[in-house]
């Protein structure tokens, strides 16, 4: 059962949110998407110190993404020297589906960074599957979305207009979290970090609601870091919540956080590291952000492009 705090943190059910849920349940039952997830995880499960899955060169990936991002936006990067050139986990706030592309366009090409991301968001369009199949570097996660949880909660609270959708969600969406899948992802992450590559995670587990706002962080990021013995680099993304042509975006990188390695971290170790990480990200976020005024070209297109 969800507690009151979890219910309060669920997204608002706007018309756009409900439309996104319908699109999400359609993606959950799409055989092509299912096959893409299975193929990708099988390839990732086979990696070790010597072998890797099919992926494009990090230099090519960065050049392509940089060309795309810089065509649409102006990007400022602060303190990029804080990112070590050894295996690390980048942990950033999450405001938009463009966020991982913005980061990959600007960070160093070594180590090679993998994205841990929502499978349905990554693979719900044919052109996304084509690009990601070429580029590689993605670990797809299956999980229930916050909007879907909000639909189920609203239906249970008496929203008759959402009961049909709630049933479709329950019967279609893989909520994730089963022990076999969790262990499989854990092994993939461990192999990536042991090989000297890096990981990019958005530990809120959902999109933020406003600039400068941070949802409570999930524990997975610090568990991976403690088990892998790698630092976590806190990152703040600023300006990506509402996009338009030539908008200024900022990537603000904090100092790496180092924690004692532990193959079986205790709860207090995890909680302490999580508290440290959350504070580090909050300290990087703006406290007085104001959206630019004036004409905002391509606003609708850019904000829905990666849905």
């Amino acid at each position: 059962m969800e507690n009151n705090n979890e219910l309060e943190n669920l997204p608002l059910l706007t018309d756009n949110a409900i439309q996104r849920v319908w699109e999400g349940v359609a993606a959950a039952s799409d055989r092509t998407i299912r096959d893409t997830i299975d193929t990708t995880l099988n390839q990732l499960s086979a990696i070790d110190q010597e072998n890797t899955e099919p992926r494009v060169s990090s230099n090519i990936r960065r050049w392509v993404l940089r060309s795309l991002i810089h065509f649409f936006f102006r990007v400022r990067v602060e303190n990029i020297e804080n990112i070590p050139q050894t295996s690390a986990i980048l942990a950033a706030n999450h405001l938009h589906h463009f966020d991982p592309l913005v980061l990959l366009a600007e960070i160093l090409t070594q180590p090679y960074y993998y994205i841990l991301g929502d499978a349905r968001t990554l693979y719900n369009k044919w052109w996304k599957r084509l690009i990601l199949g070429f580029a590689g570097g993605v670990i797809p996660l299956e999980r229930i979305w916050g909007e879907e949880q909000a639909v189920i909660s609203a239906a249970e609270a008496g929203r008759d207009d959402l009961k049909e959708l709630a049933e479709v969600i329950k019967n279609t969406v893989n909520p994730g979290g089963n022990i076999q899948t969790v262990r499989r992802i854990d092994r993939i992450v461990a192999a990536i970090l042991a090989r000297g590559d890096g990981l990019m995670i958005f530990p809120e587990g959902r999109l933020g609601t406003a600039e400068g706002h941070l949802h409570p962080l999930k524990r997975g990021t610090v568990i991976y870091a403690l088990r892998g013995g790698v630092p976590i680099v806190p990152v703040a993304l600023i300006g990506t919540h509402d996009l338009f042509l030539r908008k200024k975006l900022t990537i603000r990188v904090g100092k790496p956080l180092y924690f004692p390695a532990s193959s079986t971290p205790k709860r207090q170790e995890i909680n302490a590291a999580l508290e440290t990480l959350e504070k580090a990200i909050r300290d990087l976020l703006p406290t007085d952000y104001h959206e630019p005024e004036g004409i905002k070209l391509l606003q609708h297109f850019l904000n829905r492009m990666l849905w």
Side-chain angles (χ1 to χ4, degrees):
M1 291 291 292
E2 295 167 317
N3 59 39
N4 289 335
N5 288 335
E6 289 173 331
L7 291 174
E8 290 172 1
N9 285 327
L10 291 176
L12 295 175
L13 287 178
T14 62
D15 289 343
N16 282 340
I18 293 172
Q19 178 186 346
R20 174 167 160 75
V21 171
W22 276 113
E23 293 171 355
V25 296
S29 59
D30 188 299
R31 173 47 56 187
T32 302
I33 295 175
R34 286 244 43 87
D35 290 344
T36 304
I37 295 169
D38 292 341
T39 298
T40 302
L41 289 177
N42 287 337
Q43 291 172 341
L44 288 168
S45 295
I47 66 175
D48 55 31
Q49 296 286 349
E50 290 77 31
N51 300 308
T52 186
E53 84 292 355
R55 70 185 193 189
V56 74
S57 153
S58 56
N59 289 312
I60 294 176
R61 181 175 70 171
R62 185 174 188 257
W63 179 81
V64 171
L65 291 175
R66 216 171 148 80
S67 300
L68 171 70
I69 296 300
H70 285 205
F71 176 81
F72 287 117
F73 313 111
R74 296 175 294 130
V75 184
R76 172 185 172 87
V77 184
E78 299 177 1
N79 308 317
I80 196 169
E81 68 277 3
N82 284 336
I83 301 178
Q85 296 184 32
T86 55
S87 183
I89 295 176
L90 304 186
N93 63 309
H94 200 11
L95 295 168
H96 200 281
H97 297 306
F98 257 107
D99 291 345
L101 305 186
V102 173
L103 278 175
L104 287 173
E106 303 297 333
I107 63 174
L108 304 176
T109 56
Q110 294 298 327
Y112 190 98
Y113 277 94
Y114 286 76
I115 304 169
L116 197 66
D118 179 81
R120 285 182 288 158
T121 302
L122 291 168
Y123 297 137
N124 64 345
K125 301 287 195 303
W126 69 267
W127 57 269
K128 291 186 190 180
R129 295 192 293 272
L130 181 66
I131 292 171
L132 293 173
F134 164 73
V138 169
I139 307 170
L141 292 179
E142 292 191 83
R143 59 190 176 189
I144 190 168
W145 294 347
E147 295 96 333
E148 291 167 338
Q149 292 174 323
V151 166
I152 293 172
S153 295
E156 291 174 347
R159 283 279 303 267
D160 290 341
D161 60 314
L162 295 176
K163 287 185 176 179
E164 177 188 356
L165 180 54
E167 285 303 310
V168 174
I169 294 168
K170 292 176 184 177
N171 295 329
T172 306
V173 173
N174 181 351
N178 69 76
I179 192 65
Q180 292 87 357
T181 301
V182 170
R183 286 176 176 170
R184 188 181 196 186
I185 297 295
D186 285 351
R187 288 192 297 269
I188 290 169
V189 169
I192 286 170
L193 297 178
R195 195 174 56 190
D197 288 328
L199 201 62
M200 182 186 299
I201 302 181
F202 299 93
E204 293 170 276
R206 54 177 284 197
L207 293 177
T209 55
E211 296 285 348
H213 177 268
L214 190 70
H215 293 296
L217 306 187
K218 307 294 185 182
R219 293 152 40 99
T221 304
V222 298
I223 292 175
Y224 292 147
L226 293 172
R227 288 177 178 170
V230 301
I232 304 176
V233 182
V235 178
L237 289 162
I238 303 166
T240 65
H241 184 256
D242 182 33
L243 298 176
F244 54 86
L245 187 64
R246 306 310 298 161
K247 186 179 186 183
K248 179 183 176 182
L249 312 179
T250 300
I251 299 172
R252 184 173 294 159
V253 183
K255 296 283 188 182
L257 305 174
Y258 293 88
F259 305 102
S262 173
S263 58
T264 54
K266 296 181 174 60
R267 180 180 293 274
Q268 57 267 34
E269 295 175 298
I270 296 170
N271 291 341
L274 193 63
E275 183 177 342
T276 300
L277 173 60
E278 187 165 320
K279 181 180 185 305
I281 297 176
R282 287 189 188 280
D283 287 346
L284 296 170
L285 293 172
T287 57
D288 57 350
Y289 182 86
H290 297 287
E291 282 289 347
E293 298 180 354
I295 298 174
K296 300 180 178 181
L297 297 175
L298 299 183
Q299 183 182 32
H300 180 75
F301 169 74
L302 289 171
N303 283 321
R304 289 184 59 87
M305 180 179 176
L306 295 182
W307 268 32

